[in-house]
Amino acid sequence: MAATISMLKGASNSPVGLARSEENVWIKRGLIIVTLLFLGFFLFLPLAAVFSAALEKGFGAYFASFDDPDALAAIKLTLIAAGIAVPLNLVFGLAAAWLIAKFNFAGKSVLLTLIDLPFAVSPVISGLIYVLLFGLQGWFGPWLAEHDIKIIFAVPGIVLATVFVTFPFVARELIPLMQEQGSDEEQAALVLGANGWQTFWRVTLPNVKWALLYGVILCNARAMGEFGAVSVVSGHIRGMTNTIPLHVEILYNEYNFVAAFAVASLLAILALLTLVAKSLVEWRARQELAAALEPTMIKD
Amino acid sequence: MLKKRLLLTVAALLLATANVQAAEVTLLNVSYDPTRELYTEFNAAFAKEWQKLSGDKVRFRQSHGGSGKQARGVIDGLEADVVTLALAGDIDAIAERAKLLPADWQQRLPYNSAPYTSTIVFLVRKGNPKGIKDWNDLVKPGVSVITPNPKTSGGARWNYLAAWGYAINQNNGDEAKARAFISALFKNVPVLDSGARGATTTFVQRGLGDVFLSWENEAFLALKEFGADKFEIVAPPLSILAEPSVALVDKVVDKRGTRKVAEAYLNYLYSPQGQEIAARNFYRPRLPEVARKYEKQFPALQLLTIDKDFGGWKQAQKKHFDDGGIFDQIYQPGR
């Protein structure tokens, strides 16, 4: 005991210890500076550039950019695509996560890998898949043409591509959490006489609601911002099959820089809102966790 | 409940997109990159004319992109009533691969179905600091050349063929030397955009390159948009007669019942009014009277033609641009 105390004393007084703690401070400061520089260069600078270019000719020109029917159609289409993709992926993500976390079956790891596939595949390929399936020369193309159903180069194709690139988000957020939680609480609920739905609504869902919301927010951000896959299946028909990101590209290519950046700023604002919502969700989740832990600690 | 509503929405969307042709006529014109401004003006003029003639309203949908990419879109089911592409070869591809229009489509309209023409010129920075006058200046070391990708862009194929034609002319038909020339030229190309408009912004907006091989109309437009104090146009003594072609997509217009209005639309391109609009947007008009009026705008050049000097698009496409063609053999990125 005495030996350890003297050792501790010795350590705190020795020049080596001092140097080390000073070193630590410098490492900390250095890391902070590097992080700030990195963020400044890759995040704040481009963000500032977007807004300054958008406001180059004043607020009048900025708001006039949204008065164009093609811009409004692009915004509407983006909302439709996200409005279908996000709820669909919410249902799918919950189902998949539940299946993987609470049940054991052969091929589970294969299913997990498949869910991750859209992350691994380039978005351009994700788009081309649908061209190969539903394009006029594709597998189902001739049949669809005969029945006058349009998928590619129309709204359904854009929705499909968006669903595909965003489907891992919800599932990926839920799976680790649900796996960690195990199925004890559900089993308890079942033993106590709850039916399947009751267990789901009263036990499973409340346990994962923050992770679920987090996944939905990320899913939505990607759904609205997706460029590559949507670009392939869009056909770029103005006022019909252009989403916000595609419309930005068109405006830019027409030398209409103010409008291009004004519409781009809409996506930037969305990204910022996503960040805020994400932080809020994380904060709430932490608070709830702390609140849940507190009484148990008192009991102990 | 939620699921049911979702299904309903999806079904409604499918239906909505299936019958767009309800109240008024809509035409989808799938075009190439630099024609955005031309067709904005032309569509408005034709809509007025058509209402006077038939009393019907016509609305337009436009899609623009690299010509080859756009043709690919139509082949894959992009339902264009008319295609107005950068070259006949791309419309040939639609006729051949998707059989949406007859193979002899080019005979259906005057002047090889190309109502306006253009050529390839050099756009350089003000004062022409690298002293670029002719094609052989492009292969000099230290000259950076901007051109889009001949695989996806129609304009780029005209660029390439004009350069090839120049080299063949200079070397008395020696193909090996022409190949060496083209290969040296593409060594000076730092980036290949997929369409003409992307390449224009690369040169004009991002400031890359010393010389931009450009459609004449695109070069004029860049001068107009960004001011003649920043760039100048250099017309090489020898270039190529670029014939951007237009065609009706038979299977689509028959299915949608838009044949009549689509035909009138294309014919209107050949009318004096249509020709004026083309000339105002820096395309060379075909009608002699309009051509005379705009004579001063367009320098007289010696122009090669695709049919006489390259044996038509089919042959040129196969020899130079198809997989394994000369372009694939000479172009190795990053070297």
Side-chain angles (χ1 to χ4, degrees):
Chain A
M1 191 65 174
T4 29
I5 289 171
S6 73
M7 257 174 72
L8 281 171
K9 265 191 184 163
S12 63
N13 286 338
S14 81
V16 180
L18 256 180
R20 188 161 292 160
S21 69
E22 228 161 75
E23 207 175 86
N24 281 342
V25 169
W26 282 110
I27 288 177
K28 192 170 99 184
R29 285 190 189 150
L31 283 176
I32 290 176
I33 289 170
V34 168
T35 313
L36 279 183
L37 277 178
F38 189 85
L39 278 179
F41 191 74
F42 286 102
L43 202 70
F44 299 128
L45 212 62
L47 211 58
V50 167
F51 281 96
S52 78
L55 294 169
E56 201 178 29
K57 291 184 182 153
F59 280 96
Y62 178 83
F63 287 111
S65 313
F66 300 108
D67 209 15
D68 165 44
D70 286 353
L72 291 178
I75 294 170
K76 195 173 137 200
L77 180 58
T78 296
L79 291 178
I80 291 176
I84 297 176
V86 173
L88 220 58
N89 282 332
L90 188 149
V91 173
F92 165 78
L94 252 179
W98 201 359
L99 178 68
I100 284 168
K102 316 273 173 179
F103 296 93
N104 272 321
F105 55 92
K108 196 158 141 175
S109 58
V110 177
L111 186 66
L112 259 172
T113 317
L114 282 179
I115 289 176
D116 276 343
L117 196 67
F119 279 159
V121 173
S122 156
V124 176
I125 307 299
S126 317
L128 279 177
I129 297 166
Y130 292 107
V131 174
L132 289 180
L133 283 179
F134 303 117
L136 195 55
Q137 316 301 316
W139 288 5
F140 306 114
W143 186 88
L144 290 169
E146 223 169 87
H147 294 77
D148 208 12
I149 300 169
K150 273 194 241 172
I151 297 202
I152 295 297
F153 309 122
V155 178
I158 287 167
V159 171
L160 276 177
T162 309
V163 170
F164 182 83
V165 295
T166 55
F167 86 60
F169 283 92
V170 174
R172 263 286 143 202
E173 280 307 317
L174 291 183
I175 290 168
L177 181 71
M178 286 172 106
Q179 266 175 338
E180 196 187 327
Q181 285 176 345
S183 51
D184 297 354
E185 291 186 28
E186 275 90 351
Q187 275 167 11
L190 289 175
V191 167
L192 291 173
N195 65 27
W197 268 124
Q198 282 171 325
T199 314
F200 175 75
W201 283 110
R202 302 216 179 138
V203 179
T204 311
L205 202 56
N207 272 342
V208 299
K209 66 181 173 201
W210 295 115
L212 184 65
L213 196 56
Y214 187 76
V216 163
I217 289 169
L218 288 182
C219 180
N220 183 53
R222 176 70 188 267
M224 289 191 172
E226 176 58 26
F227 180 86
V230 169
S231 174
V232 175
V233 297
S234 147
H236 306 273
I237 309 169
R238 284 135 202 258
M240 262 182 84
T241 61
N242 275 319
T243 58
I244 297 178
L246 301 181
H247 190 63
V248 171
E249 192 201 23
I250 283 183
L251 290 170
Y252 185 79
N253 279 342
E254 282 171 1
Y255 308 127
N256 199 343
F257 300 117
V258 167
F261 285 106
V263 179
S265 74
L266 209 66
L267 285 174
I269 290 170
L270 172 85
L272 289 177
L273 284 180
T274 306
L275 270 180
V276 171
K278 183 182 136 226
S279 313
L280 269 180
V281 166
E282 275 174 344
W283 178 74
R284 283 284 306 178
R286 257 204 314 274
Q287 273 210 324
E288 211 158 89
L289 193 69
L293 284 177
E294 233 166 64
T296 51
M297 275 166 80
I298 290 167
K299 261 181 239 161
D300 283 351
Chain B
M1 187 62 198
L2 183 69
K3 253 191 186 165
K4 207 171 187 185
R5 196 174 293 163
L6 266 174
L7 276 176
L8 279 175
T9 338
V10 173
L13 276 170
L14 280 171
L15 282 174
T17 44
N19 340 297
V20 260
Q21 36 180 352
E24 50 187 7
V25 202
T26 4
L27 284 189
L28 174 59
N29 176 358
V30 170
S31 193
Y32 63 114
D33 249 334
T35 57
R36 299 156 194 258
E37 292 75 13
L38 164 66
Y39 281 109
T40 307
E41 191 179 345
F42 180 79
N43 289 352
F46 175 76
K48 258 192 213 150
E49 181 75 14
W50 184 248
Q51 189 154 28
K52 248 192 287 171
L53 271 175
S54 67
D56 288 341
K57 260 201 178 161
V58 56
R59 277 179 64 201
F60 288 94
R61 301 280 185 201
Q62 285 289 142
S63 169
H64 296 273
S67 186
K69 191 181 111 192
Q70 294 292 78
R72 182 74 242 184
V74 175
I75 291 168
D76 282 329
L78 182 55
E79 282 202 332
D81 298 279
V82 296
V83 284
T84 53
L85 294 178
L87 43 91
D90 285 330
I91 304 182
D92 279 339
I94 299 173
E96 212 169 280
R97 293 183 184 218
K99 312 251 181 301
L100 295 176
L101 64 169
D104 65 344
W105 62 272
Q106 216 172 354
Q107 264 77 61
R108 297 193 296 193
L109 287 166
Y111 300 109
N112 286 332
S113 286
Y116 40 78
T117 67
S118 193
T119 185
I120 300 301
V121 297
F122 306 156
L123 191 68
V124 297
R125 306 204 181 273
K126 190 70 193 176
N128 197 358
K130 299 263 166 144
I132 289 153
K133 292 265 175 310
D134 204 349
W135 292 96
N136 55 356
D137 294 319
L138 303 180
V139 298
K140 286 181 181 159
V143 172
S144 167
V145 182
I146 301 294
T147 170
N149 187 347
K151 290 276 184 180
T152 52
S153 156
R157 267 172 272 178
W158 292 112
N159 290 346
Y160 171 104
L161 289 179
W164 178 271
Y166 165 85
I168 288 282
N169 256 23
Q170 289 289 303
N171 297 303
N172 301 317
D174 187 339
E175 283 218 353
K177 283 189 178 150
R179 197 183 271 247
F181 178 84
I182 286 280
S183 161
L185 198 165
F186 275 92
K187 277 212 177 75
N188 280 348
V189 177
V191 49
L192 287 177
D193 284 288
S194 75
R197 190 48 68 86
T200 312
T201 36
T202 295
F203 182 77
V204 170
Q205 187 72 11
R206 291 170 54 203
L208 245 67
D210 302 309
V211 51
F212 171 39
L213 308 187
S214 167
W215 289 100
E216 183 180 49
N217 52 282
E218 188 75 355
F220 274 118
L221 186 72
L223 283 194
K224 188 176 138 196
E225 290 284 335
F226 292 92
D229 54 331
K230 291 202 183 99
F231 306 99
E232 45 187 88
I233 293 175
V234 174
L238 173 85
S239 193
I240 193 163
L241 178 72
E243 295 185 309
S245 317
V246 303
L248 197 76
V249 185
D250 294 66
K251 281 218 176 134
V252 176
V253 292
D254 288 342
K255 182 170 142 196
R256 299 189 59 231
T258 48
R259 178 178 279 275
K260 243 174 120 185
V261 54
E263 258 169 8
Y265 179 72
L266 292 183
N267 286 329
Y268 193 61
L269 280 169
Y270 290 90
S271 72
Q273 298 89 321
Q275 293 278 297
E276 279 271 346
I277 292 172
R280 270 208 297 280
N281 285 281
F282 314 113
Y283 291 83
R284 297 184 175 215
R286 291 282 202 182
L287 270 190
E289 71 231 48
V290 183
R292 259 196 304 282
K293 194 175 153 193
Y294 286 88
E295 216 167 30
K296 272 197 212 128
Q297 188 173 310
F298 304 109
L301 308 173
Q302 188 195 339
L303 297 175
L304 303 166
T305 69
I306 187 75
D307 290 328
K308 256 192 247 139
D309 298 284
F310 297 93
W313 265 112
K314 264 198 193 103
Q315 210 179 317
Q317 176 74 28
K318 201 168 162 215
K319 179 170 169 184
H320 294 279
F321 308 118
D322 274 354
D323 272 346
I326 294 178
F327 178 72
D328 277 347
Q329 294 164 31
I330 60 105
Y331 183 70
Q332 284 138 345
R335 274 199 217 162

